[in-house]
Amino acid sequence: MHDQRLKDIVPFVASIEGGSFAAAAERLHVTGSAISKSVSRLEARLGSTLLERTTRRLKLTDAGHAYYQTCIRIMEELAEAESVLAAQRSIPSGRLRLAVPNTYGRLRVMPLLLTFCQQHPDIDISMTFSDRFVDLFDEGIDVAVRIGKTAEMPASLGYRQLGREKMVFCASPAYLAREGHPESAEALLQHRAIVYERVDGSSKPWQFVTEDGYPDWRTVPYHMALGDADAQLQAVLGGLGVAQMPTWLVRDALARGELERILPHMQPEGLALTLVWPRRKQLLPKVDALLCALSGLDIGE
């Protein structure tokens, strides 16, 4: 049954691409009668008319057009699978298109990618930095690094969650020496807040953790709203106020003593870090090598 399905697909596709049964017959080195019988057998099994036959040309019906698109996809995936298997032992090479979040991509992905490129000189990289949602298929992306909510993934996508960021309240030592160390959420909300501004112009609320461990979101009257995480960090380092930022962004400054944690017992979990890729590309040596390299990404403590 399955072998016959594949056998009938090829003459059907060849007929559409050639424009006639005769052209398909010449391409496949069979008779025109054999092509006609194969397509008729396919229509009988599906219970649908796929082609309108005239003396001059073949025309797809609506059902035929939908089926043709499916056949094309199947044949492309089979061809790609065969090339993958043939290349499994080869050196990873070719162009990779990678999409990463703006600031996280610069700070955390780039160092790993530099090492990756040194190890795989035959791979060319095209890298997009953006915090917007990227459609992998529409934009031809091989691998995406995403920070955010992980909705249910379609079967066509593979994914691997690497962890969840931690969110830290922090300020510079100079600011805290001048304004004092808040000892409660209410006291913290009285300080000069530096918040992250979303693309739509709204400000991201602060998240606290209650004594029972539940998230408690608070809208913050802010002193400054910035639509760039680097700018937010620079403002806090400059002593302009207090912010809640992810550990992957501030941990180096914390380690150097340039920032201090505030209310660490109220430190909540943030968004998930996920690798996403078109499943049909996973066995390509270049994609597999990149996924292995990016598995070393981390997002916080």
Side-chain angles (χ1 to χ4, degrees):
M1 173 70 75
H2 294 289
D3 288 346
Q4 189 60 55
R5 287 178 183 174
L6 292 175
K7 289 178 181 177
D8 289 338
I9 282 175
V10 174
F12 170 66
V13 171
S15 298
I16 302 307
E17 293 179 345
S20 68
F21 290 156
E26 183 176 353
R27 173 178 169 182
L28 300 177
H29 306 291
V30 297
T31 65
S33 175
I35 297 292
S36 178
K37 288 179 180 178
S38 178
V39 173
S40 295
R41 185 167 55 244
L42 179 62
E43 290 177 320
R45 190 176 70 246
L46 296 175
S48 295
T49 300
L50 303 178
L51 293 171
E52 293 179 358
R53 299 151 173 86
T54 69
T55 56
R56 292 187 176 182
R57 62 189 179 95
L58 300 174
K59 182 180 179 182
L60 285 168
T61 63
D62 290 343
H65 184 270
Y67 190 69
Y68 173 68
Q69 295 299 321
T70 300
C71 291
I72 290 297
R73 190 188 75 246
I74 291 171
M75 293 176 70
E76 287 177 349
E77 290 180 355
L78 283 172
E80 188 167 14
E82 289 179 0
S83 66
V84 166
L85 293 174
Q88 276 185 332
R89 296 183 182 179
S90 67
I91 297 174
S93 62
R95 182 167 299 279
L96 276 172
R97 290 185 58 79
L98 176 63
V100 299
N102 207 341
T103 305
Y104 185 82
R106 292 198 304 272
L107 295 182
R108 301 303 172 193
V109 180
M110 275 303 298
L112 284 183
L113 198 63
L114 293 176
T115 301
F116 174 81
C117 290
Q118 292 168 354
Q119 295 172 342
H120 301 283
D122 293 326
I123 291 180
D124 300 317
I125 298 292
S126 177
M127 194 168 178
T128 300
F129 293 82
S130 176
D131 292 329
R132 66 180 176 81
F133 179 87
V134 175
D135 188 298
L136 275 65
F137 296 102
D138 286 351
E139 302 186 36
I141 301 298
D142 296 302
V143 178
V145 178
R146 288 180 177 170
I147 298 177
K149 295 180 180 179
T150 52
E152 184 176 348
M153 295 286 182
S156 58
L157 291 178
Y159 66 96
R160 183 182 306 156
Q161 186 170 314
L162 300 181
R164 300 186 72 89
E165 64 185 3
K166 301 291 184 181
M167 300 299 293
V168 180
F169 291 112
C170 55
S172 70
Y175 173 87
L176 293 172
R178 184 174 72 247
E179 303 294 339
H181 288 69
E183 300 296 334
S184 66
E186 287 67 27
L188 178 59
L189 290 172
Q190 303 306 310
H191 279 256
R192 296 168 72 86
I194 301 174
V195 301
Y196 184 81
E197 185 174 78
R198 299 188 179 108
V199 176
D200 63 4
S202 64
S203 61
K204 185 177 180 180
W206 282 355
Q207 182 183 359
F208 295 87
V209 176
T210 67
E211 293 182 359
D212 298 329
Y214 291 102
D216 178 21
W217 294 93
R218 303 281 190 96
T219 300
V220 184
Y222 56 81
H223 168 62
M224 186 178 291
L226 301 170
D228 181 84
D230 275 335
Q232 187 184 21
L233 175 60
Q234 293 306 313
V236 178
L237 287 170
L240 299 182
V242 177
Q244 183 178 47
M245 294 179 287
T247 46
W248 58 260
L249 178 62
V250 300
R251 65 185 177 191
D252 294 340
L254 289 169
R256 293 191 296 264
E258 297 170 349
L259 293 178
E260 292 183 18
R261 291 177 187 260
I262 301 171
L263 304 177
H265 62 287
M266 291 187 174
Q267 172 179 298
E269 281 194 344
L271 302 173
L273 171 68
T274 310
L275 296 180
V276 186
W277 61 90
R279 193 177 294 277
R280 62 186 175 85
K281 293 186 177 184
Q282 181 172 344
L283 292 180
L284 289 171
K286 61 181 180 179
V287 173
D288 183 60
L290 181 60
L291 290 174
C292 288
L294 295 182
S295 293
L297 288 171
D298 69 289
I299 200 163
E301 302 170 0

